[in-house]
């Protein structure tokens, strides 16, 4: 960094600090806007060159990056190897000897404790791949050094942004890298568990196969909302997971020389066979290629191994014959292999409830809508009749080729995995947007139709407000069916999934966690009511890495207790119901916690500590006053649902919010218009997906889905709010979300953004201008903003937000505020957006082309759809030829007029492009401050 840039940053930070020191929640102007205006003037008059601004942005971004690395280390309580080892040893000793003053437990009790899966880490491909892969790697490496504070020096990158969104194969590669580090960490934990067992039971310890924690993935198997995953992709990636598992096993057992049997040769043969199966995988629905694949998959399945039981006897024989050192190597290898089956991680598939309803309509003629409560009883009765008579049908890959229903294809794919790839590992069948028991019965009918009902774990996803509030009735609708009860009795598992992301954006994150905890407790009561307490309950919490999507901001240990509160866990323990917790690690941000082996070890050690923690019905005061809790969180939900329905909220999200963020996954942020030349308008938040919704709120400096309604709720019970903030661990964990949200929200920034959208402001600026050209530019922007018509609704929405915020500040006066570095990034971006808008007014007159007119250009620029706008302008004002005009046209070479629009490119288009790149680069800096994308 140059000395001049350093001085400028220092001066600007001083001004930002003065803004924070002089904050006035009731001030009419926007001090952030004043700072942005000053920066804008310096850019306009040349005092701040483009290069200088780019350098300042990189500096501020890198400071945020350093802070994020420090935060990740602190989040894991410091990834120090000695601390991690001690934590794992403490877990093992507590299992062996829960009471340090008592004798060790019998080996049968120890076996029961460690051979039951208590916790699963689930790796998903949610689109949070916001950073370039080398930047993620540098961030993980930096965090792994366990810095005591934000490092002074960080790797120099010109940009932190990705070149483009990840492909499916790239997502899979990133996920499996994290998974394999997680598997290594599990091996380390298992060594410690087995070593502790060897101390107490030297003759029997080698018979143990611990599996208290497992790895799971749906990357490549999740078809909800994705069109880039064919069944052939799912099978290919599932075979690659099998290959990774066998390769791990091979590398573990190959060095063992003291035990000679057929274990290693069988694994080598299986590896070679699976490699051939992967090579034969089709790349699309081409019948001849599918036939060749089926030949290799089916005729060579015995060589490839299709069950962990195939190696059970060989493992036992090898362990018995091995030296003491080799016994441990083989026992750990067996434990990881048996725990995960023929895959590096267990398999989750996912689809949408509507897809199941569609196939029931097609195959069974059930045309009534399950969304209509009055029709639901009849629907369930008809599905029970179908379950009574359904008979399994045989399928082959030709059936898969012909199947048109997505639910049918997915269930057939599951059947082929279970028959030809791994016969003994159950597959999770997740159903998004489940709002009726009919959906669960339909899934069961389809599973029976294809003969896989006993090998899949049907799991509803509760994520909407209706589903969370009525989840008990949804489950009981299914429990009234003798077929569903028989299914639970056979599989002895009830799998449920809770969505913190969508629920949080509609009812508010704090209200969502209350509704989810309440539903968990009701599930416990339901199982007792229906005499199903012997069924293990699997509770999968699907959340992101940000506060808006359910991740505790300060400690991983607190994240687990927030998602699965000790009180709720204790209720299951008291009822004698076994429970397995599962939690998501989503996309690039989630994989960071497994980004190096040191981080993975630390993460697994904290998971182990949580999984074996003693749960008691603590006297947390928040549970002593259920009426307060119900009213407090209902008030938050009402505040957030009111904001969601406010037209100004959709306008704020859609104005230029989607353009502030890069595409970070396979799905668009919003539904796109068919007309390329028009502007996509967001008319309701439901048109945005949850991750970009949250990401936009972060970039607008207002974490609304964590904060909205909280001020009103606190104002209703100010004394109780203060008391619980100080005395209730459960309440305090929830308020940690609000504290983090306030530290990264600023009403001045939000007001500045809304002020940008105000035509009156641009009219005032035009009035103050003496230069006719500048005046005309401001008036042009004024007219464009009038056409967009964002101002009135966004201003009304701001009053709603601000009044609630004022109430929160009165109830919680010492709550955090945004720090100067982050505030300055927002101010610079506002200034840059103004410069982009003003530059666009200098584009010369042009005739409309393919519905792209001057008015459309203005609307696109105001919504910051700069890449699309510049692409259109390049066609209208061509500057560079591709060289084809230099061919021999068999006449004397005439003038080509290349470079006719040199001024437009150098003075308008290229500066707009560079400024827009800075807008996006600032977004990565803000994301580093917040700690996650979306």
């Amino acid at each position: 960094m140059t000395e001049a840039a350093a001085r400028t940053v220092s001066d600007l930070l001083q001004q930002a600090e003065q803004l924070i020191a002089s904050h006035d929640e009731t001030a009419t102007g926007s001090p952030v806007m004043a700072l942005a205006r000053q920066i804008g003037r310096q850019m306009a008059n040349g005092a701040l060159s483009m290069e200088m601004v780019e350098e300042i942005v990189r500096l501020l971004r890198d400071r945020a990056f350093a802070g994020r690395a420090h935060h990740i280390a602190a989040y894991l309580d410091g990834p120090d190897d000695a601390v991690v080892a001690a934590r794992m040893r403490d877990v093992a000793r507590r299992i062996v000897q829960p009471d340090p003053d008592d004798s060790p437990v019998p080996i049968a009790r120890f076996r029961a404790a460690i051979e039951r899966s208590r916790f699963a880490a689930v790796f998903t491909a949610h689109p949070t791949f916001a950073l370039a892969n080398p930047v993620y790697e540098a961030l993980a490496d930096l965090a792994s050094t366990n810095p005591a504070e934000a490092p002074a020096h960080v790797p120099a990158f010109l940009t932190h942004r990705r070149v483009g969104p990840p492909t499916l194969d790239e997502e899979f590669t990133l996920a499996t890298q994290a998974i394999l580090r997680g598997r290594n960490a599990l091996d380390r934990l298992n060594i410690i568990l087995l070593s502790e067992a060897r101390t107490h039971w030297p003759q029997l310890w080698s018979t143990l196969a611990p599996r208290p924690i497992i790895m799971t993935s749906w990357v490549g198997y999740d078809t909800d909302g994705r069109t880039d995953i064919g069944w052939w992709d799912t099978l290919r990636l599932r075979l690659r997971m099998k290959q990774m598992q066998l390769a791990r096993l091979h590398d573990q057992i190959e060095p063992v020389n003291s035990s000679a049997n057929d274990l290693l040769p069988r694994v080598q043969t299986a590896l070679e066979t699976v490699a051939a199966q992967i090579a034969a995988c089709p790349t699309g629905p081409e019948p001849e290629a599918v036939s060749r694949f089926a030949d290799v998959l089916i005729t060579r399945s015995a060589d490839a191994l299709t069950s962990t039981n195939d190696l059970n006897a060989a493992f036992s024989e090898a362990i018995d014959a091995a030296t003491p050192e080799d016994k441990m190597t083989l026992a750990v290898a067996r434990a990881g292999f048996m725990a995960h089956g023929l895959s590096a991680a267990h398999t989750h598939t996912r689809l949408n409830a509507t897809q199941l309803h569609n196939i029931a309509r097609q195959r069974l003629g059930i045309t009534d809508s399950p969304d209509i409560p009055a029709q639901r009883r009849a629907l369930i009765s008809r599905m029970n009749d179908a379950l009574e008579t359904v008979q399994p049908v045989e399928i082959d890959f030709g059936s898969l080729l012909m199947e048109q229903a997505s639910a049918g294809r997915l269930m057939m794919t599951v059947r082929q995995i279970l028959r030809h790839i791994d016969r003994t590992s159950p597959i999770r069948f997740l159903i998004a947007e489940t709002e009726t028991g009919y959906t669960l019965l339909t899934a069961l009918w389809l599973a029976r139709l294809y003969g896989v009902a006993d090998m899949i774990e049907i799991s509803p996803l509760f994520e909407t407000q209706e589903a969370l509030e009525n989840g008990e009735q949804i489950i009981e609708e299914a429990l009234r069916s003798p077929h569903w009860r028989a299914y639970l009795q056979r599989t002895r598992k009830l799998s449920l999934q809770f969505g913190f992301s969508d629920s949080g954006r509609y009812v508010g994150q704090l209200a969502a966690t209350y509704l989810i905890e309440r539903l968990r407790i009701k599930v416990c009561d339901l199982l007792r009511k229906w005499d199903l307490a012997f069924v293990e309950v699997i509770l999968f919490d699907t959340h992101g890495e940000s506060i808006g999507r359910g991740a505790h901001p300060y400690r991983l240990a607190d994240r687990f207790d927030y998602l699965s509160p000790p009180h709720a866990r204790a209720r299951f323990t008291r009822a004698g119901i076994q429970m397995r917790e599962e939690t998501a690690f989503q996309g690039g941000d989630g994989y960071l916690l497994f980004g190096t082996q040191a981080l993975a070890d630390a993460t697994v050690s904290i998971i182990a500590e949580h999984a074996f923690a003693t749960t008691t019905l603590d006297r947390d005061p928040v549970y002593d006053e259920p009426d307060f809790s119900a009213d407090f969180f209902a008030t938050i939900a009402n505040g957030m649902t009111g904001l969601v329905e406010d037209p100004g909220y959709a306008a704020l999200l859609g104005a230029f919010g989607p353009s502030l963020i890069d595409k970070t996954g396979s799905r668009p942020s919003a539904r796109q218009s068919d007309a390329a030349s028009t502007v996509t308008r967001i008319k309701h938040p439901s048109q945005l997906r949850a991750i970009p919704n949250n990401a936009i709120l972060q970039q607008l400096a207002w974490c609304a889905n964590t904060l909205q309604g909280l001020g009103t709720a606190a104002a209703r019970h100010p004394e109780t709010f203060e008391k619980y903030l100080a005395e209730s661990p459960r309440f305090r964990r929830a308020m940690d979300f609000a504290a983090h949200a306030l530290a990264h929200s600023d009403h001045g920034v939000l007001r500045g953004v809304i002020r940008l959208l105000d035509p009156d402001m641009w009219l005032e600026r035009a009035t103050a201008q003496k230069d006719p050209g500048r005046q005309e530019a401001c008036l042009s922007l004024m007219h464009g903003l009038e056409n967009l018509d964002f101002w009135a609704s966004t201003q009304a929405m701001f009053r709603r937000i601000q009044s609630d915020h004022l109430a929160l500040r009165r109830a919680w006066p010492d709550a955090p505020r945004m720090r100067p570095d982050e505030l300055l990034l927002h101010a610079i971006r506002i200034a840059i957006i103004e410069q982009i808008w003003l530059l666009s007014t200098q584009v010369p007159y042009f005739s409309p082309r393919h519905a792209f007119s001057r008015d459309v250009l203005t609307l696109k620029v105001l919504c910051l759809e700069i890449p699309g706008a510049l692409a259109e302008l390049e066609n209208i004002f061509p500057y560079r030829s591709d060289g084809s005009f230099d061919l021999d046209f068999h006449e004397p070479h005439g003038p080509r007029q290349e470079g006719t629009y040199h001024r437009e490119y150098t003075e308008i288009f290229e500066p707009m492009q560079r400024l827009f790149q800075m807008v996006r680069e600032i977004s990565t800096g803000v994301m580093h401050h917040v700690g996650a994308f979306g």
Side-chain angles (χ1 to χ4, degrees):
M1 183 182 67
T2 64
E3 187 176 337
R7 284 198 306 270
T8 304
V9 167
S10 179
D11 292 342
L12 291 172
L13 282 174
Q14 283 184 359
Q15 294 177 51
E17 288 169 357
Q18 289 168 4
L19 286 175
I20 294 173
S22 62
H23 67 266
D24 182 357
E25 308 290 355
T26 62
T28 54
S30 171
V32 176
M33 197 68 174
L35 178 58
R37 188 71 51 77
Q38 177 185 326
I39 295 169
R41 283 194 293 267
Q42 292 177 338
M43 292 176 69
N45 64 26
L48 272 178
S49 66
M50 184 87 73
E51 292 76 14
M52 179 76 76
V53 177
E54 287 171 334
E55 198 169 355
I56 291 169
V57 168
R58 283 195 294 271
L59 170 65
L60 293 170
R61 177 206 67 190
D62 287 350
R63 287 184 181 179
F65 178 83
R68 187 176 182 186
H70 170 61
H71 174 76
I72 292 170
Y75 198 71
L76 297 174
D77 296 335
D80 179 84
D81 191 70
V83 171
V84 168
R87 187 182 294 127
M88 288 183 175
R89 284 194 298 270
D90 287 345
V91 169
R93 288 165 183 162
R94 283 202 307 272
I95 301 170
V96 170
Q97 201 168 353
D99 183 350
D101 297 325
D102 203 351
S103 301
V105 300
I107 190 172
R109 183 173 164 186
F110 183 79
R111 184 188 301 276
I114 67 168
E115 291 190 350
R116 177 176 78 83
S117 296
R118 298 163 169 268
F119 196 102
V122 185
F123 295 82
T124 77
H126 280 82
T128 66
F129 300 91
L131 301 176
N133 293 343
V135 179
Y136 272 126
E137 291 167 8
L139 184 57
D141 288 340
L142 205 56
S144 299
T145 64
N146 194 19
E149 58 185 18
H153 301 286
V154 300
F157 292 99
L158 189 63
T159 179
H160 282 190
R161 298 168 56 207
R162 302 185 69 87
V163 174
T167 62
L168 174 62
D169 280 341
E170 188 179 1
E171 289 175 350
F172 179 81
T173 297
L174 294 171
T176 51
Q177 287 171 350
I179 288 168
L180 292 175
R181 293 188 195 103
R183 289 291 305 276
N184 292 340
L186 291 183
D187 286 348
R188 181 178 184 180
L189 175 65
N190 285 339
I191 288 172
I192 290 173
L193 290 172
L194 290 172
S195 296
E196 189 69 21
R198 183 171 57 188
T199 301
H200 295 279
W201 305 289
Q203 304 304 316
L204 297 173
W205 71 271
S206 62
T207 64
L208 298 168
R211 61 176 72 191
I213 303 167
I214 56 174
M215 301 286 136
T216 303
S217 175
W218 77 34
V219 181
Y221 321 134
D222 168 23
T223 60
D224 177 32
R226 294 190 69 152
T227 58
D228 62 328
I229 301 177
W231 58 262
W232 48 89
D233 293 310
T234 295
L235 290 174
R236 172 174 55 85
L237 297 179
R238 180 59 183 82
L239 281 168
R240 285 182 62 188
M241 292 292 273
K242 182 174 183 177
Q243 185 182 46
M244 289 177 199
Q245 173 74 318
L246 291 169
R248 275 191 100 251
L249 181 60
H250 178 274
D251 291 346
Q252 286 174 303
I253 65 177
E254 186 180 32
V256 174
N257 299 315
S258 61
S259 178
N261 64 1
D262 66 345
L263 178 60
L264 182 60
R266 292 189 69 182
V267 173
Q268 288 173 326
T269 299
L271 259 177
E272 293 166 1
T273 307
V274 172
Q277 292 172 336
I278 293 171
C281 262
T283 57
E286 199 280 306
E288 290 187 2
V290 173
S291 174
R292 291 192 295 270
F293 170 63
D295 179 26
V296 179
L297 183 71
I298 296 167
T299 60
R300 299 185 63 183
S301 62
D303 286 341
L305 302 178
T306 56
S307 170
T308 52
N309 295 332
D310 295 342
L311 297 183
N312 221 345
F315 256 122
S316 297
E317 180 184 301
I319 290 172
D320 288 343
T323 64
E325 183 179 348
D326 286 345
K327 274 187 194 296
M328 180 62 75
T329 300
L330 290 169
V332 170
R334 178 180 64 180
F337 182 69
M338 295 300 175
H340 293 87
L342 288 163
S343 178
H346 284 275
T347 302
H348 281 192
T349 63
R350 190 169 74 138
L351 82 174
N352 193 279
T354 302
Q355 295 168 304
L356 282 169
H357 302 163
N358 287 343
I359 197 170
R361 184 179 67 250
Q362 295 163 9
R363 304 292 168 82
L364 299 175
I366 300 177
T367 57
D368 292 337
S369 171
D371 297 330
I372 302 174
Q375 298 177 348
R376 203 167 288 162
R377 182 171 296 181
L379 282 174
I380 290 175
S381 176
R382 290 189 63 183
M383 188 53 69
N384 273 321
D385 291 342
L387 282 163
E388 194 71 44
T389 59
V390 66
Q391 294 295 320
V393 297
E394 281 299 320
I395 66 161
D396 63 0
F397 279 101
S399 310
L400 252 176
L401 283 167
M402 293 294 293
E403 181 59 61
Q404 296 300 306
S406 52
R409 284 197 303 271
L410 182 59
M411 196 67 82
M412 286 181 179
T413 304
V414 166
R415 186 267 195 193
Q416 297 298 72
I417 292 172
L418 288 169
R419 177 166 292 191
H420 303 304
I421 298 176
D422 187 346
R423 292 182 290 108
T424 49
S425 299
I427 293 175
R428 188 73 51 80
F429 196 81
L430 302 166
I431 310 169
E433 297 183 5
T434 301
E435 295 187 348
T436 166
Y438 167 77
T439 304
L440 302 181
L441 298 181
T442 304
L444 180 59
W445 165 79
L446 189 62
R448 283 195 186 177
L449 180 66
Y450 294 126
V452 296
D454 291 348
M455 287 300 294
I456 68 167
E457 300 163 348
I458 299 170
S459 176
L461 167 55
F462 300 120
E463 57 185 336
T464 64
Q465 183 175 5
E466 179 180 352
L468 291 176
E469 290 179 343
N470 302 309
E472 178 185 19
Q473 289 83 355
I474 294 169
I475 296 170
E476 193 153 32
E477 279 181 346
L479 285 173
R480 291 193 185 102
S481 165
H483 302 286
W484 183 256
R485 293 197 303 276
Y487 163 71
L488 295 183
Q489 288 163 353
R490 286 195 309 276
T491 62
R492 303 180 76 85
K493 291 177 185 174
L494 171 63
S495 300
L496 304 172
Q497 183 184 6
F498 303 99
F500 284 77
S501 190
D502 271 316
S503 60
R505 72 179 174 131
Y506 289 126
V507 301
Q509 183 54 233
L510 304 184
T513 182
Y514 169 76
L515 292 173
I516 290 171
E517 181 180 9
R518 188 179 67 172
L519 179 54
R520 292 163 102 102
I521 293 171
K522 287 181 177 180
V523 168
C524 178
D525 296 337
L526 270 179
L527 291 177
R528 295 174 65 191
K529 172 183 175 180
W530 287 91
D531 295 324
L532 292 169
F534 59 87
V535 170
E536 180 184 35
V537 179
I538 301 172
L539 302 175
F540 174 22
D541 296 312
T542 314
H543 58 87
E545 299 300 314
S546 70
I547 52 169
R549 301 183 54 240
H552 190 277
Y554 301 142
R555 293 179 68 240
L556 183 62
D558 282 323
R559 175 197 291 201
F560 297 146
D561 283 341
Y562 171 82
L563 297 169
S564 184
H567 180 86
R569 300 203 305 271
R571 291 284 291 267
F572 278 89
T573 301
R574 189 171 69 174
I577 299 173
Q578 286 189 342
M579 183 181 77
R580 182 205 298 176
E581 297 173 57
E582 299 187 343
T583 192
F585 294 90
Q586 293 190 353
D589 288 346
Y591 303 166
L592 268 173
L593 296 181
F594 293 82
T596 65
Q597 196 55 57
L599 296 180
D601 288 355
T603 298
V604 166
S605 72
I606 294 170
I607 291 175
E609 194 172 50
H610 172 82
F612 286 101
T614 303
T615 55
T616 58
L617 285 173
D618 297 330
R619 297 296 299 175
D620 190 317
V622 78
Y623 297 104
D624 294 337
E625 296 187 41
D627 291 341
F628 162 77
S629 297
D631 181 77
F632 184 84
F633 291 109
T635 302
I636 292 175
N638 289 336
M640 189 63 208
T641 53
L643 180 65
V644 167
E645 298 304 323
D646 190 320
Y649 187 55
L652 177 70
L653 289 169
F656 51 67
S659 296
L660 297 178
I661 55 178
D662 285 310
K663 188 178 179 184
T664 59
S666 63
R667 299 185 293 189
S669 297
R671 298 184 179 94
Q672 302 298 302
S673 167
D674 291 333
S677 295
T678 59
V679 175
T680 302
R681 292 294 297 266
I682 305 297
K683 295 184 177 179
H684 191 273
S686 60
Q687 293 176 273
L688 274 174
R689 302 186 191 278
I691 292 172
N693 180 304
N694 281 277
I696 290 167
L697 289 173
Q698 292 166 0
Q699 296 302 326
L700 297 177
W702 201 261
C703 301
N705 52 6
T706 305
L707 295 175
Q708 189 62 27
L710 179 57
T712 306
R716 286 171 62 89
H717 311 274
E719 294 179 359
T720 311
F721 175 81
E722 187 176 352
K723 171 188 172 186
Y724 284 179
L725 200 58
E727 299 177 7
S728 166
R730 175 72 178 94
F731 192 76
R732 180 70 233 189
R733 278 189 207 100
M735 289 307 104
D736 284 344
F737 282 69
H740 191 72
L742 289 168
H744 301 286
S745 299
D746 184 87
H747 79 286
V749 175
L750 183 62
R751 177 180 283 160
V753 169
I754 293 172
R755 186 81 170 127
L756 267 183
L757 301 171
D758 179 9
D760 284 345
M761 185 200 78
W762 291 97
L763 178 59
E764 291 168 6
R765 291 181 65 175
T767 304
Q769 288 291 339
K770 295 181 180 179
D771 179 85
R774 300 283 291 181
Q775 189 177 80
E776 186 59 35
C778 291
L779 289 174
S780 174
L781 295 175
M782 177 199 75
H783 292 308
L785 289 166
E786 284 178 334
N787 291 333
L788 281 175
D789 194 26
F790 285 140
W791 165 247
S793 62
T794 54
Q795 180 62 17
M797 181 275 309
F798 180 76
R799 290 194 294 270
R800 178 194 293 266
I801 284 178
Q802 181 68 346
S803 61
D804 187 75
H805 176 60
L806 289 172
L808 179 57
R809 287 292 180 187
R810 286 194 299 270
W812 195 4
D814 58 345
R817 298 181 186 278
M818 185 178 287
R819 296 178 62 82
D821 278 34
E822 190 174 353
L823 194 73
L824 180 54
L825 276 172
H826 285 288
I828 293 172
R829 184 163 55 191
I830 290 173
I832 290 174
I833 290 171
E834 284 193 358
Q835 295 301 307
I836 292 173
W837 287 3
L838 289 167
L839 271 173
S840 73
T841 65
Q842 299 177 28
V843 174
Y845 170 80
F846 60 90
S847 299
R849 291 197 183 187
H850 308 296
F852 185 77
S853 64
R854 183 61 192 237
D855 287 342
V856 171
L857 169 64
T858 300
L859 293 180
K860 277 186 169 290
V861 169
L862 289 174
C863 292
L864 289 183
E865 296 181 11
I866 305 303
L870 290 177
E872 295 280 3
L873 290 172
E874 187 170 354
N875 291 327
I876 296 169
F877 300 97
Y879 175 47
R880 302 179 182 90
S881 74
D882 60 3
S884 60
F885 299 113
D886 293 328
L887 295 172
D888 183 3
F889 292 99
H890 305 285
E891 290 184 280
H893 194 82
R896 294 298 192 264
Q897 299 300 319
E898 188 172 11
T900 301
Y901 298 109
H902 179 270
R903 186 194 70 83
E904 285 78 5
Y905 267 82
T906 57
E907 297 182 14
I908 303 173
F909 303 159
E910 289 181 359
M912 284 178 65
Q913 178 67 20
R914 286 178 68 180
L915 288 168
F916 182 70
Q917 300 294 343
M918 276 194 273
V919 166
R920 291 276 179 91
E921 201 67 44
I922 287 172
S923 295
T924 67
V926 171
M927 178 186 64
H928 289 321
H929 277 293
V930 175
F933 177 88

